[in-house]
């Protein structure tokens, strides 16, 4: 151990030792209890940011702590390597996406190793490798066989700059989640995963995920969006077909006076075709579909529409209802058609007033009579049905069930359950993604690629066009292939898969990254999965987590794995904030973690990230905080340097009060740190406890330790405990301190310290002494001291004595173990 703390030298030494010893390599060992800790894997952008560092520091503390607790810990790392940023970089810098990606992976791997994370690098994977996406393609085909994959035309969210379709979850406030550009909608054919088949199970299991933040579960429940109501069939004027709607308010059916269609609904153009409204409808639809999403659907957005020229019939009243196209109707909720009840829905009310459409009141509040002519807003509260035929006089809550049952009896609809979630559109018109294993044959249709021909390898020895358009459709040598079924000329599918497909099962593949006999090794996955602790940002609460849950249930039903859910516990860490805003290049407030590591060392950066805030809260970056972390590590270094060569006399079995005090601090700190990590992930308070302990140890002078062997022994034990407790947080310096104090290298292999309950209680307690209600001194007394002894000890205390001498002690009020108040006069 050098006299001065040199972070770079210390960290290089121990990183080389860990790598040489393969200290973090693990295998299945059924004699040990497993623990799987995983941080969401990164996109290889080329450099780590402070958000990455914080995320991985949190996971590393958990991994190292569990190793020291005796668990068989798997802690892997890999790369979410497909995606559009690689294509954008190719356009900007003239480098192939594959070259850019692999170069970035090498650089980020180097950065991660420099920070000293406890990853089993033998399990590293990258989703852009054919060995990985081969099995993704294989799973696509198995899902297709089970009816979980289909192809259809649909109105899709399309990002013009990115030239690709976006899932609903990838549209944020009307904009592309990647580039921020407003999304437009258009009709396009693509492939879908039938996630709706699992909607109810995904919802039910939200109640069983007790290790997840309630905030995330609420977001998932809302996205799945279960609604109970009724399906209702409104016959079209020609009598040949009907418009189906879903409503949560069947009690208002008798007040439905017109029908509203979403602009995306195919009936909009179909119903208007050949009428005088055809051109108006087409113009309206085209205009609305190119609008900003918020401008169209926001609360303050103007309600607009156009009449289609067609009518449908209210199934219970027989009313002829005009069919309108309305900008506020959402195609991805219900059926994309809404029965409009203007008296009892505010949007319908505003629309009806604007276009002069009929308003019929069918629910009256108790003791009041509503009139369409005088209403200024829709009535949406409870009430009694009127103008509703046989249901007049019925409470509206009761009428919901009764009207639904009538619809069912007359085969005009009936009770049903609707979900907000829609099937997952996975087709992307991008190059840098996993090819979809389908061949399109003029005779046979869409034909699966045979398993023996997998993987369908994405060609990388091509020039990527500066236009950004996918080159795949233009690669005749790749696209033109014989049909696997009839052998006639056919064409490969040129869409690639949504990159969320890759991240929906990577955690399974970590259990068996080199397995080549199937998508996963069932035995290995059966041992390691589910993930015990998953860590990542709240921004993935819907996208990634919901898809991962879906994939796990699909793999279970295919008898490939056994677990129902992928992640037992979930931690969503806060953002890193600087100057009052989230760190980002656009705000100019980014701090480069590599510069910090070069100046202060990896342990200082780790300590700051863990000490400045609890993991789930935002971390406010300050230069002073980093400096403070560095100073603390220097204090610990100097303290160990001062005492590391101290010789300890044999334990004689008895301790002075000073030695016992040191041990009390030591064992209380073990208890605090252990509970803060194990039970709460309050790493900041755990570190604070070690800092307090260090401050107490610094009060022990060399002379004091030289003269009292029991104090020296307690001090040396305490220093070893400090090193052990710091090990999960700042592993490099902890290893150096531990070695200097006589410990064997490789601290994750030593048992985590265990506190001795005997040292958690005080032999003596501090009691405040008051005279006539004012504090006049403090005394120490045995924990079990009787009141008489406490009073005698207090009266003997010099400062107390001068306030009571010559006066009569009228009474003494004693709060055991805390305060003694002497009342004199």
């Amino acid at each position: 151990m050098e006299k001065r703390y040199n972070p770079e030298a210390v960290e290089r030494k121990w990183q080389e030792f860990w790598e040489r010893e393969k200290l973090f390599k693990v295998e299945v060992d059924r004699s040990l209890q497993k623990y799987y800790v995983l941080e969401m894997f990164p996109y290889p952008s080329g450099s780590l940011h402070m958000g990455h560092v914080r995320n991985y520091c949190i996971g590393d503390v958990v991994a190292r702590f569990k190793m020291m607790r005796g668990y068989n810990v798997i802690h892997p790392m890999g790369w979410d390597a497909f995606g559009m940023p690689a294509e954008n970089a190719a356009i900007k810098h003239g480098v192939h996406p594959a070259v850019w990606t692999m170069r970035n992976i090498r650089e980020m791997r180097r950065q991660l190793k420099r920070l000293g994370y406890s990853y089993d690098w033998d399990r590293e994977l990258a989703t852009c490798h054919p060995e990985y996406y081969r099995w993704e393609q294989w799973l696509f085909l198995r899902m297709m066989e089970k009816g979980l994959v289909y192809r259809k035309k649909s109105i899709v969210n399309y990002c013009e700059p990115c030239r690709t379709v976006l899932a609903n979850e990838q549209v944020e406030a009307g904009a592309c989640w990647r580039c921020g550009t407003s999304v437009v909608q258009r009709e396009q054919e693509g492939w879908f995963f039938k996630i709706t088949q699992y909607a109810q199970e995904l919802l039910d299991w939200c109640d069983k995920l007790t290790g997840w933040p309630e905030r995330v579960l609420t977001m998932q429940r809302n996205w799945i969006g279960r609604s109970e109501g009724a399906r209702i069939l409104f016959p079209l004027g020609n009598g040949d077909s009907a418009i189906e709607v879903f409503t949560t308010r069947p009690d208002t059916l008798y007040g439905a006076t017109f029908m509203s269609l979403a602009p995306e609904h195919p009936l909009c153009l179909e119903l208007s075709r050949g009428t005088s409204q055809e051109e108006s409808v087409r113009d309206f639809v085209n205009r609305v579909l190119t609008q900003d999403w918020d401008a169209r659907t926001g609360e303050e957005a103007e309600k607009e529409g156009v009449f289609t020229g067609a009518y449908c019939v209210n199934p219970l009243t027989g009313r002829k209802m005009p069919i309108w196209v309305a900008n506020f109707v959402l195609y991805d909720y219900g059926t994309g058609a809404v029965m409009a009840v203007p008296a009892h829905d505010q949007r319908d009310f505003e629309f009806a007033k604007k276009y002069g459409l009929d308003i019929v009141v069918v629910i009256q509040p108790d003791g009041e009579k509503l009139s369409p002519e005088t209403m200024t807003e829709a009535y949406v509260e409870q009430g009694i049905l009127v103008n509703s035929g046989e249901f007049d006089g019925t409470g509206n809550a009761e009428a919901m069930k009764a009207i639904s049952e009538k619809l069912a009896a007359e085969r005009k609809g009936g009770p049903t359950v609707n979900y907000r979630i829609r099937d997952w559109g996975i087709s992307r018109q991008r190059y840098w993604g996993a090819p979809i294993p389908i061949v399109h044959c003029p005779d046979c249709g869409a034909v699966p690629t045979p398993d023996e021909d997998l993987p369908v390898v994405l060609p990388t020895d091509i020039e990527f066009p500066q236009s950004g358009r996918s080159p795949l459709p233009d690669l005749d040598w790749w696209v033109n292939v014989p049909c696997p079924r009839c052998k006639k000329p056919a064409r490969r599918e040129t869409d690639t898969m949504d990159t969320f497909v890759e991240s929906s099962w990577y955690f399974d593949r970590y259990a068996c990254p080199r397995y080549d006999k199937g998508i996963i090794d069932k035995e290995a996955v059966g041992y390691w999965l589910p993930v015990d602790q998953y860590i990542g940002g709240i921004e993935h609460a819907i996208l990634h987590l919901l898809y991962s849950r879906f994939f796990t249930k699909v793999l279970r039903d295919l008898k490939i794995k056994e677990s129902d859910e992928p992640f037992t516990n979930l931690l969503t860490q806060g953002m890193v904030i600087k100057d009052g805003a989230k760190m980002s290049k656009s705000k100019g407030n980014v701090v480069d973690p590599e510069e910090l590591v070069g100046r202060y060392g990896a342990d200082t950066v780790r300590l700051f990230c863990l000490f400045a805030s609890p993991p789930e809260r935002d971390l406010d970056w300050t230069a002073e905080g980093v400096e403070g972390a560095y100073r603390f590590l220097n204090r610990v270094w100097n303290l160990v340097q001062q005492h590391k060569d101290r010789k300890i006399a044999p334990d004689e079995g008895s301790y002075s009060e000073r030695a016992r005090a040191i041990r009390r601090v030591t064992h209380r700190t073990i208890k605090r740190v252990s509970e803060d990590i194990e039970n709460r992930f309050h790493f900041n308070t755990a570190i604070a406890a070690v800092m307090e302990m260090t401050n107490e140890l610094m009060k022990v002078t060399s002379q004091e330790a030289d003269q009292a062997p029991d104090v020296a022994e307690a001090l040396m034990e305490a220093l070893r405990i400090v090193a052990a407790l710091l090990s999960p947080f700042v592993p490099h310096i902890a290893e150096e301190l531990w070695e200097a104090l006589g410990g064997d290298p490789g601290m994750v292999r030593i048992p985590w310290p265990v506190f001795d309950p005997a040292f958690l209680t005080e032999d003596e307690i501090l009691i405040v002494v008051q005279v006539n209600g004012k504090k006049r001194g403090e005394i120490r007394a045995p924990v079990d001291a009787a009141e008489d002894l406490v009073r005698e000890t207090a009266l003997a205390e010099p400062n107390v004595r001068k306030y009571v001498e010559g006066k009569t002690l009228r009474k003494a009020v004693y709060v055991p173990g805390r305060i003694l108040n002497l009342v004199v006069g």
Side-chain angles (χ1 to χ4, degrees), residues 411-428:
R411 297 187 177 183
K412 297 175 179 177
T416 192
V417 172
N418 184 70
Y419 297 93
R420 177 176 181 267
I421 190 173
R422 287 291 175 262
D423 285 337
W424 176 10
I426 66 157
S427 292
R428 299 293 179 269

Side-chain angles (χ1 to χ4, degrees), residues 759-809:
F759 289 109
L760 298 182
T761 58
E762 295 272 8
D763 295 331
E764 292 185 336
I765 51 176
L766 188 69
I767 299 173
V768 173
V769 181
Q770 297 176 337
V771 178
N772 291 340
K774 294 185 177 180
K775 180 180 176 181
R776 299 303 185 187
E778 294 176 343
I779 62 170
R780 298 197 69 85
V783 172
D784 55 357
E787 182 177 343
D788 289 347
L789 178 59
V790 172
R791 187 171 62 250
E792 290 172 12
T793 305
L795 291 170
E797 204 279 325
N799 198 54
V800 174
R801 191 168 56 241
K802 73 180 183 180
Y803 285 98
V804 300
E805 282 181 338
K807 298 178 182 178
T808 302
L809 179 61

Side-chain angles (χ1 to χ4, degrees), residues 651-703:
D651 180 10
E652 297 180 359
S654 61
Y655 303 110
S656 64
E657 176 52 35
R658 184 69 173 119
R660 291 187 67 83
I662 294 171
R663 282 191 155 85
R664 279 195 294 272
V665 170
T666 299
H667 289 269
R668 286 176 185 165
T669 304
I670 295 172
K671 184 174 187 293
R672 281 182 60 188
V673 173
S674 301
E675 291 175 351
D676 281 346
I677 298 176
E678 183 84 65
N679 301 335
R680 294 178 286 273
F681 284 4
H682 284 185
F683 306 139
N684 57 324
T685 56
I687 293 167
V690 181
M691 289 178 171
E692 292 169 12
M693 177 179 171
T694 302
N695 291 339
E696 289 299 315
L697 298 182
M698 291 177 70
K699 296 175 183 177
V700 181
T701 65
S702 294
Q703 182 179 8

Side-chain angles (χ1 to χ4, degrees), residues 232-253:
I232 306 175
L233 300 175
F234 289 77
L236 288 168
N238 57 22
D240 295 332
S241 56
I243 297 177
E244 180 178 331
V245 306
F246 168 80
T247 179
T248 59
R249 295 294 308 274
D251 55 319
T252 65
L253 174 56

Side-chain angles (χ1 to χ4, degrees), residues 222-238:
N222 291 341
W223 189 260
I224 296 167
R226 187 181 195 273
S227 300
E228 294 185 4
R231 59 181 287 270
I232 306 175
L233 300 175
F234 289 77
L236 288 168
N238 57 22

Side-chain angles (χ1 to χ4, degrees), residues 321-365:
M321 298 167 48
I323 302 171
W324 285 67
V325 185
N327 66 340
F328 59 86
V329 178
L330 305 179
Y331 188 58
D332 63 353
Y333 180 77
T335 64
V338 174
M339 68 173 200
V341 185
H344 305 292
D345 180 276
Q346 186 60 30
R347 292 186 307 177
D348 294 344
F349 181 84
E350 294 173 15
F351 194 88
K353 285 289 188 180
K354 180 174 182 176
Y355 292 105
L357 300 169
D358 289 348
I359 299 175
V360 176
V361 174
V362 293
I363 298 176
Q364 292 282 10

Side-chain angles (χ1 to χ4, degrees), residues 72 123 415 527 789:
N72 192 27
R123 295 179 181 272
Y527 176 75
L789 178 59

